Amino acid sequence: MRYKAVLFDLDGTLVDSIPDIAQGANLMLHDLGFPSLSVDLISTFVGQGTHHLIDLCLKQVTEQSTIDPDLQQQARILFAQHYDHQTKNSISQVFPDVIAGIEKFQKAGCLLAVVTNKPMQFVPDLLRLMHLDHYFDLLVGGDTCAEKKPHPMPFLYACEKLGVLPAQALVIGDSGNDSVAARRAGIDVLLVPYGYNEGKDVQDLDCDGIVSSIVAAAQWAAQSNTTS
């Protein structure tokens, strides 16, 4: 395999985390006196970080295009409290073939990293509860760098920390945030179709391939004969 490192998105790529995210969001809304939102709707808010998700929830329930700063701050505190509790008692699940795919990359000698827009405070616990933590050489959260995906900085930071060139890495994600950030960083990118692409079809995104699973991604990577 020509790739020396694989950079994975987390929510919607490795872990079906919507149950926990939706529960945290709806408990936040309940505390603020607002009605709950459907899990399907909240899933379309995932991708650009926790603050973006909270803002979209508040805009939905208030039917306002702008959010009162005090309400916004209160919502962020409440969501963090509820989601932290949810993460420690997670009802999320690893997607099928994730562990088998990760192990294929690992056996091929690849360094492995998680690069997510989720705040770092939630990442280690989620990976540990999903029994995925021991696979990764590096974790990059949404607040690790000054910018989040779709900015290329998190992927470039991961490559630097892993000691590989962007051309030697492969991104695997589920959304436009992953594909745009990877393209801007000069990194090959594969997308899975089962994730949370803000309600949009991944078929419309610029990528090197759409794969059905992480196992299929490992097979694609092993068969790639492109040279760096």
Side-chain angles (χ1 to χ4, degrees):
M1 186 178 296
R2 74 182 185 90
Y3 297 106
K4 294 185 178 181
V6 185
L7 315 179
F8 294 93
D9 176 52
L10 180 54
D11 298 307
T13 299
L14 300 180
V15 177
D16 183 8
S17 52
I18 282 297
D20 289 329
I21 293 171
Q23 179 78 345
N26 279 326
L27 287 171
M28 170 199 75
L29 292 173
H30 177 269
D31 288 351
L32 294 170
F34 295 116
S36 298
L37 299 174
S38 72
V39 174
D40 286 344
L41 179 60
I42 293 173
S43 72
T44 67
F45 297 163
V46 175
Q48 297 189 46
T50 297
H51 289 175
H52 182 72
L53 178 141
I54 292 169
D55 288 351
L56 291 179
C57 287
L58 292 176
K59 287 178 180 178
Q60 184 71 29
V61 296
T62 62
E63 299 182 347
Q64 300 292 322
S65 59
T66 59
I67 303 165
D68 177 80
D70 291 337
L71 175 63
Q72 184 183 58
Q73 183 60 27
Q74 188 179 3
R76 290 177 178 181
I77 293 170
L78 289 169
F79 179 84
Q81 292 172 348
H82 288 303
Y83 187 63
D84 183 61
H85 177 77
Q86 279 300 121
T87 301
K88 289 179 170 60
N89 301 274
S90 181
I91 54 175
S92 297
Q93 294 184 342
V94 177
F95 283 111
D97 291 333
V98 163
I99 291 176
I102 288 173
E103 290 179 346
K104 282 182 177 292
F105 280 116
Q106 196 172 53
K107 288 176 182 177
C110 296
L111 296 170
L112 305 179
V114 166
V115 182
T116 174
N117 280 346
K118 182 189 292 294
M120 180 59 84
Q121 71 182 96
F122 304 124
V123 177
D125 280 344
L126 179 58
L127 289 172
R128 178 178 54 80
L129 287 167
M130 297 297 104
H131 305 291
L132 296 174
D133 53 313
H134 61 286
Y135 289 111
F136 296 102
D137 303 286
L138 177 69
L139 305 179
V140 179
D143 46 5
T144 300
C145 300
E147 301 285 350
K148 294 190 289 286
K149 299 178 293 183
H151 197 283
M153 186 182 292
F155 287 143
L156 294 174
Y157 173 87
C159 289
E160 180 182 356
K161 288 296 182 181
L162 294 173
V164 302
L165 297 173
Q168 297 171 319
L170 174 67
V171 165
I172 302 176
D174 69 327
S175 74
N177 294 311
D178 300 307
S179 63
V180 171
R183 283 288 185 251
R184 290 175 176 174
I187 303 174
D188 289 351
V189 55
L190 298 178
L191 297 174
V192 295
Y194 52 73
Y196 316 138
N197 185 33
E198 299 178 277
K200 303 171 186 175
D201 192 339
V202 295
Q203 301 288 338
D204 298 328
L205 300 178
D206 179 19
C207 64
D208 294 288
I210 297 173
V211 291
S212 60
S213 67
I214 305 302
V215 166
Q219 293 168 342
W220 183 97
Q223 294 166 2
S224 174
N225 58 8
T226 305
T227 57
S228 58

